[in-house]
Amino acid sequence: MATLLAIGTAKGLFLATSTDDRHSWEITGPHFPMNGVYAVAVDTRRATPRLLAGVTSSHFGPSVATSDDLGASWDEPDQAPVAFPADTGVSLGRVWQLMPGNPDEPDVVWAGTEPSALFKSTDGGRSFEMVRSLWDHPHRPQWEAGFGGQAIHTVLPHPRDPARLLVAMSTGGVYRSEDAGASWTPGNTGIRAYFFPDEWPEFGQCVHKVARDAGNPERLYAQNHHGVYRSDDDGRTWSSIADGLPSDFGFPMVAHPGRGGVVWTFPLVADGERFPTDHRCRVFRSVDAGGKWEPLSVGLPEGPFYPAVLRDAMCADDATPGGVYFGTRSGSVYASRDEGDSWSLVAAHLPDVLCVRAAAV
């Protein structure tokens, strides 16, 4: 079995494949040259894995393309698969997140967009409908744009309860549904918004990324705009787990797909100084749900290092031992086949890396 690493960049999608247990990689691309690929998913719920790419063309606009042959060919529908209803008065900026649904709903795919909205597909990602209840939420007029835009960037179906769903956005924070998306409540208690006069609001936080624990699906991890948090009640309340990290600012947050309590992040100095801490290339890992953190840098560049890692530019696969991957804004992609203990270079000199996803295919 091979491992596929999909790398979305500012100028297209690159596909890296390893057939020797992630020791070496063969790279193809760019697919969709000169188009930004802000979201990518590898849907392995079907016999033939389906790739989904959120593609943004400066000429034709945003779309979602699918491939059922690992990128050898792509299907781009004539009609926009993700589009806002006319009565909303807005148009799609881009798709920021593509998330396959639960295994018992093999045709459900979720899309988070800019402006902040949630869309649902029931045909495997070929067409989507807006989840009206979230768009009509009374808080929505007060959701603002973060530095990268106003977008839903995290969609987390609950693996054991299809009625439960969590989204996160910048800005706006975390919202939860327990009735399959019919209604939504904010889930931001304990998350600080230092830029507001009231630093502990009900909503409005600039959450950068949320990940769900593999062993305990009620446990979530969040990287905030200054703040690293854990929730043990499915996002109702949060507590800080930033102690032990060199900074509480960053973008990615990745949970191990198979081991509970294991999580990775890539800290940056601060919101006004978006460089790696100490100008060193280091991933930080916790194996006890954020109780302690350790730096991981064996095989990573030594000396001054300045590129950042974006919120979806880090991921993990479900192999044993687990693989971890991240791409930088300078176009380098690194992989670990031992859960972060050591690293090797997959690709260099790519365009700005926006997202990465890995899976066995």
Side-chain angles (χ1 to χ4, degrees):
M1 182 169 286
T3 300
L4 176 70
L5 176 63
I7 306 165
T9 79
K11 295 184 179 180
L13 175 69
F14 295 81
L15 299 176
T17 305
S18 176
T19 57
D20 58 1
D21 194 22
R22 302 162 294 175
H23 285 281
S24 62
W25 299 86
E26 179 180 345
I27 299 175
T28 64
H31 308 260
F32 316 106
M34 300 305 297
N35 292 341
V37 179
Y38 286 79
V40 65
V42 185
D43 188 351
T44 57
R45 296 173 299 170
R46 57 192 72 240
T48 301
R50 173 169 292 173
L51 307 185
L52 302 102
V55 181
T56 301
S57 165
S58 59
H59 182 73
F60 295 106
S63 185
V64 174
T66 60
S67 173
D68 291 333
D69 52 16
L70 300 180
S73 62
W74 293 89
D75 179 28
E76 295 184 71
D78 294 332
Q79 300 296 320
V82 180
F84 281 84
D87 68 310
T88 63
V90 301
S91 59
L92 178 66
R94 62 173 56 103
V95 174
W96 278 74
Q97 182 82 163
L98 290 165
M99 175 60 68
N102 290 328
D104 58 352
E105 297 178 309
D107 291 320
V108 171
V109 178
W110 301 94
T113 68
E114 176 187 347
S116 293
L118 179 67
F119 288 76
K120 182 180 182 180
S121 171
T122 56
D123 58 7
R126 298 186 184 279
S127 64
F128 292 79
E129 291 188 8
M130 190 178 74
V131 178
R132 193 82 200 205
S133 57
L134 186 59
W135 181 259
D136 290 339
H137 196 283
H139 292 171
R140 184 186 62 77
Q142 299 177 67
W143 298 341
E144 300 291 344
F147 186 74
Q150 185 203 63
I152 288 180
H153 51 63
T154 298
V155 183
L156 295 177
H158 194 285
R160 299 176 185 171
D161 185 350
R164 293 161 67 182
L165 185 67
L166 180 143
V167 301
M169 67 189 78
S170 297
T171 64
V174 172
Y175 282 76
R176 306 172 57 256
S177 176
E178 297 185 352
D179 52 14
S183 63
W184 297 85
T185 57
N188 300 293
T189 301
I191 299 180
R192 181 172 174 244
Y194 81 91
F195 40 79
F196 285 155
D198 173 8
E199 295 187 352
W200 306 97
E202 181 186 15
F203 67 96
Q205 286 82 347
C206 187
V207 176
H208 287 177
K209 196 63 187 176
V210 181
R212 192 182 296 277
D213 189 83
N216 177 6
E218 304 302 302
R219 176 170 288 168
L220 301 164
Y221 308 94
Q223 174 66 64
N224 192 52
H225 190 104
H226 281 295
V228 182
Y229 298 93
R230 187 183 76 215
S231 172
D232 294 320
D233 54 12
D234 196 31
R236 294 174 180 84
T237 62
W238 300 82
S239 58
S240 176
I241 55 171
D243 287 350
L245 288 169
S247 168
D248 66 357
F249 188 83
F251 288 95
M253 181 62 67
V254 174
H256 195 298
R259 289 179 56 200
V262 181
V263 63
W264 298 269
T265 188
F266 193 97
L268 304 178
V269 175
D271 54 359
E273 192 176 346
R274 300 184 182 202
F275 302 114
T277 54
D278 301 319
H279 297 164
R280 297 174 61 189
C281 185
R282 295 178 298 176
V283 173
F284 280 73
R285 178 181 64 193
S286 176
V287 297
D288 59 359
K292 297 183 295 294
W293 296 91
E294 59 179 323
L296 308 170
S297 60
V298 175
L300 294 177
E302 299 179 358
F305 188 85
Y306 300 101
V309 176
L310 298 178
R311 74 182 88 241
D312 276 311
M314 178 181 282
C315 71
D317 65 28
D318 56 359
T320 303
V324 192
Y325 311 85
F326 71 91
T328 71
R329 301 208 66 179
S330 62
S332 296
V333 179
Y334 298 93
S336 171
R337 55 189 301 272
D338 52 17
E339 304 191 356
D341 289 337
S342 62
W343 300 84
S344 60
L345 182 68
V346 174
H349 312 300
L350 298 181
D352 187 352
V353 177
L354 307 175
C355 59
V356 294
R357 287 293 182 269
V361 295

